[in-house]
Amino acid sequence: MNTVLVFSGLDPGGGAGLSADIAAIGAMGAHALPIATALTVQDNERVLELAPVDTGLIVRQAETLIARFAIDAVKLGIPGNRANAVAIAALVKRLRERAPRLPVVLDPVLASGRGDALGQQEALAALLDVATLLVPNLPEAAALGPVPCAHVLLTGGHGEGDVIVNRWLHDGGERAWRWPRLPGEFHGSGCTLAAAIAARLAQGDAIADALERAQAYCHAALAQSFALAPGQRIPRRFLIST
């Protein structure tokens, strides 16, 4: 079983963060090794509080896993603070000493779906240095500006119109995917997509194939989403056959 080492925040509502990562990675055929970087107070609409996990604890968890398991890909969400981000980047660099082509997918979460700022922009700078694929939405891309990343999947869910356009920017080239816009808003859609991509890369998919399969899966998860409360819906990460 291929593994994805995951660093992300814990959403107690189960809609985003580590909960989304674990489910999406499992649904796409890999096994998640989840490490919480931050604890949050949130529901399906708002993030009210974020408390970073101790950097030393994060490092000890990761070192224990790295010593025991082969790591086939890494998925990065919110680091919690800059100290955590620097430590995580150092861990990735150590992993690359034994696996130079290790894929690292970064979901640069800067705000909740409702726009609550999470104070992660400075911390994310350290992670950009080790990412092989960045998966920002339109507001995140605007906030980050030009990034030193070989591959960027720019998602268009925050755009206008009945069709969402996701653009893969790479090596001076571009490829676009178009998906029909679904009604409603969704909690943890970015986490789901980035985790699904990491799961496919962990299993050896070429990046174009991983992007294609992960987007199709994410669109299906949103189409089958469910409500826990008024507001943003939860993607159904373990799909129901139709």
Side-chain angles (χ1 to χ4, degrees), residues 23-112:
I25 289 167
M28 293 298 281
H31 179 74
L33 302 172
I35 297 176
T37 56
L39 305 180
T40 67
V41 178
Q42 67 173 296
D43 55 23
N44 65 316
E45 288 277 284
R46 302 291 305 273
V47 177
L48 304 174
E49 188 176 344
L50 185 149
V53 172
D54 176 73
T55 304
L57 180 59
I58 291 172
V59 170
R60 292 193 298 277
Q61 288 181 82
E63 287 178 337
T64 298
L65 296 175
I66 291 167
R68 187 70 173 177
F69 305 124
I71 307 299
D72 299 301
V74 178
K75 190 268 181 181
L76 304 175
I78 60 169
N81 58 25
R82 179 165 175 77
N84 288 354
V86 170
I88 292 166
L91 288 163
V92 171
K93 290 174 182 178
R94 285 170 51 190
L95 283 168
R96 286 236 170 92
E97 291 176 0
R98 70 188 195 194
R101 298 173 65 86
L102 179 74
V104 178
V105 180
L106 173 58
D107 176 17
V109 182
L110 297 177
S112 72

